[in-house]
Amino acid sequence: MFKTVKGTASDIKDMKIRGAGRIARAGASAMGTFAGNYRGGSLTEFRKDIDTAAKILLDSRPTAVSLWNGVRASTKDVGSASSLEEATESVVRNSAVFVEMSSSAVDQIAKIGAKRVQSGDTIMTHCNSSAAVGVIKEAHFQGKDIKVYATESRPWGQGLLTVKELSEAGIDVTLIIDSAVRSVMKRTDKVFVGADTVTSNGALINKIGTSQLALAADEARVQFNACTETYKFSPMTMFGDMVTIEERGHDEVVDPARLPKGVKIFNPVFDSTPAKYIDALITELGILSPGSVYDVMVRQLGEDIFRMRDDS
Ligand code: RI2
């Protein structure tokens, strides 16, 4: 029964499926497939089984709230369903709606963000964010003359995906190592990065090293933009929950056999950038200040959000 869900969770954990938006869409799709294929007995059994499926997916990567929001959006009507058929159909429908909304949000961010790019700009980006890369590609497609510095983004090296995508689009892109960020920032006009999670006080949780780009941008008076769909805003952080910073395998950093016995490895793969270092959140709703995250979440989730406070 949980084969598809476990397969998707494994692909997300192993980063075969990666990127906060993609893992959210994969999670929602897996929930829709689970419900569409459900041949269980009763509504009560389905509610228990769909919760099990959700937990399997949510345990795969703890930091990106997008996965939690994608799974939650898919199952939001199960509790109020009055029959098994109504419950399963609601998951199939809601997961498809989330996937469509999430994909169109990336396109909307590209259109809005590209307006903040001027011809002649030199841009820096970090990791491989479909939202940030979308802004850069849209600016290029609009005929703006831009150059891009993409960081390698160790240890996983997502920057290699970014330079491949941008060069294939015909964009002038240069790969730099992560420790070159502050030096190269001197010749940079704007930074565009993605987001895994945005907390209720406007902090950006993104690939490790993002906060260093923000610090260097602040020092160099370079505009720092986070490109993020609003379903990456985290309601749980409103009520004090901390975002879990995922730590991944030591062998992603270096072959442990190359290290003297007793040397430890610490591999956190996300970091937090305080709101004060962020000039703009580029979202599908428009250009937001980090200070507006709370209001956007309350407006989007309504009274539901305060039920989360009572559940958390
Ligand atoms: P999009 C990625 O994490 C990066 O941190 C990236 O900035 C973020 O997800 C958002 O990506 P990982 O999956 O949703 O590479 O913009 O660990 O594609």
Side-chain angles (χ1 to χ4, degrees):
M1 177 187 296
F2 299 105
K3 187 166 177 288
T4 307
V5 166
K6 285 182 175 174
T8 301
S10 168
D11 287 347
I12 291 172
K13 184 171 181 56
D14 298 344
M15 293 180 70
K16 290 189 185 110
I17 300 174
R18 53 147 300 280
R22 291 186 196 91
I23 69 175
R25 289 187 285 276
S29 299
M31 294 300 275
T33 304
F34 176 81
N37 296 335
Y38 190 76
R39 301 290 175 268
S42 68
L43 177 56
T44 304
E45 283 168 338
F46 176 70
R47 283 184 174 135
K48 186 172 67 62
D49 292 336
I50 197 82
D51 282 349
T52 303
K55 188 166 177 0
I56 291 167
L57 285 164
L58 296 179
D59 285 348
S60 60
R61 290 196 77 189
T63 302
V65 76
S66 57
L67 178 57
W68 187 88
N69 280 330
V71 169
R72 187 177 162 278
S74 303
T75 58
K76 63 187 173 71
D77 295 331
V78 170
S80 58
S82 54
S83 71
L84 173 61
E85 189 183 18
E86 186 184 333
T88 55
E89 283 176 1
S90 77
V91 177
V92 172
R93 181 181 64 252
N94 290 333
S95 67
V97 166
F98 177 85
V99 169
E100 172 50 35
M101 174 280 293
S102 163
S103 300
S104 62
V106 175
D107 297 339
Q108 198 56 28
I109 289 167
K111 291 190 182 74
I112 292 169
K115 293 180 184 172
R116 287 177 72 87
V117 178
Q118 271 95 31
S119 246
D121 274 350
T122 297
I123 291 168
M124 187 181 295
T125 192
H126 185 56
C127 198
N128 177 245
S129 155
S130 50
V133 168
V135 167
I136 295 168
K137 287 165 77 170
E138 176 61 23
H140 173 72
F141 295 151
Q142 291 176 4
K144 294 177 181 176
D145 174 27
I146 56 173
K147 285 197 296 193
V148 179
Y149 286 103
T151 62
E152 178 190 15
S153 308
R154 269 187 54 75
W156 206 81
Q158 290 92 331
L160 300 179
L161 299 173
T162 297
V163 296
K164 180 173 184 299
E165 270 189 74
L166 295 182
S167 58
E168 284 172 354
I171 294 169
D172 177 343
V173 59
T174 304
L175 180 71
I176 60 172
I177 62 172
D178 301 320
S179 39
V181 157
R182 186 164 177 246
S183 301
V184 175
M185 196 61 78
K186 296 189 188 76
R187 59 180 83 176
T188 300
D189 298 299
K190 292 166 188 152
V191 175
F192 291 89
V193 296
D196 286 81
T197 292
V198 180
T199 67
S200 60
N201 63 341
L204 169 66
I205 311 296
N206 195 49
K207 188 49 54 200
I208 190 81
T210 301
S211 58
Q212 282 162 184
L213 271 84
L215 275 172
D218 184 58
E219 177 192 42
R221 300 287 183 273
V222 167
Q223 189 187 88
F224 184 89
N225 301 288
C227 307
T228 174
E229 304 89 319
T230 55
Y231 67 82
K232 293 175 180 176
F233 293 3
S234 167
M236 292 80 80
T237 53
M238 273 174 61
F239 307 116
D241 283 15
M242 301 291 284
V243 176
T244 303
I245 299 292
E246 180 187 1
E247 291 177 40
R248 293 185 65 86
H250 295 168
D251 53 354
E252 281 189 5
V253 178
V254 70
D255 174 359
R258 292 178 54 196
L259 296 178
K261 195 167 167 42
V263 172
K264 294 181 280 301
I265 295 172
F266 177 42
N267 182 23
V269 292
F270 295 105
D271 66 13
S272 176
T273 300
K276 69 179 183 179
Y277 292 111
I278 301 168
D279 291 291
L281 298 176
I282 301 175
T283 79
E284 74 280 11
L285 299 182
I287 308 288
L288 304 180
S289 87
S292 60
V293 169
Y294 174 88
D295 294 321
V296 168
M297 285 199 290
V298 171
R299 184 154 14 95
Q300 283 188 325
L301 297 171
E303 286 307 309
D304 247 0
I305 207 161
F306 297 103
R307 270 193 282 283
M308 284 182 204
R309 171 188 54 200
D310 305 335
D311 295 348
S312 67

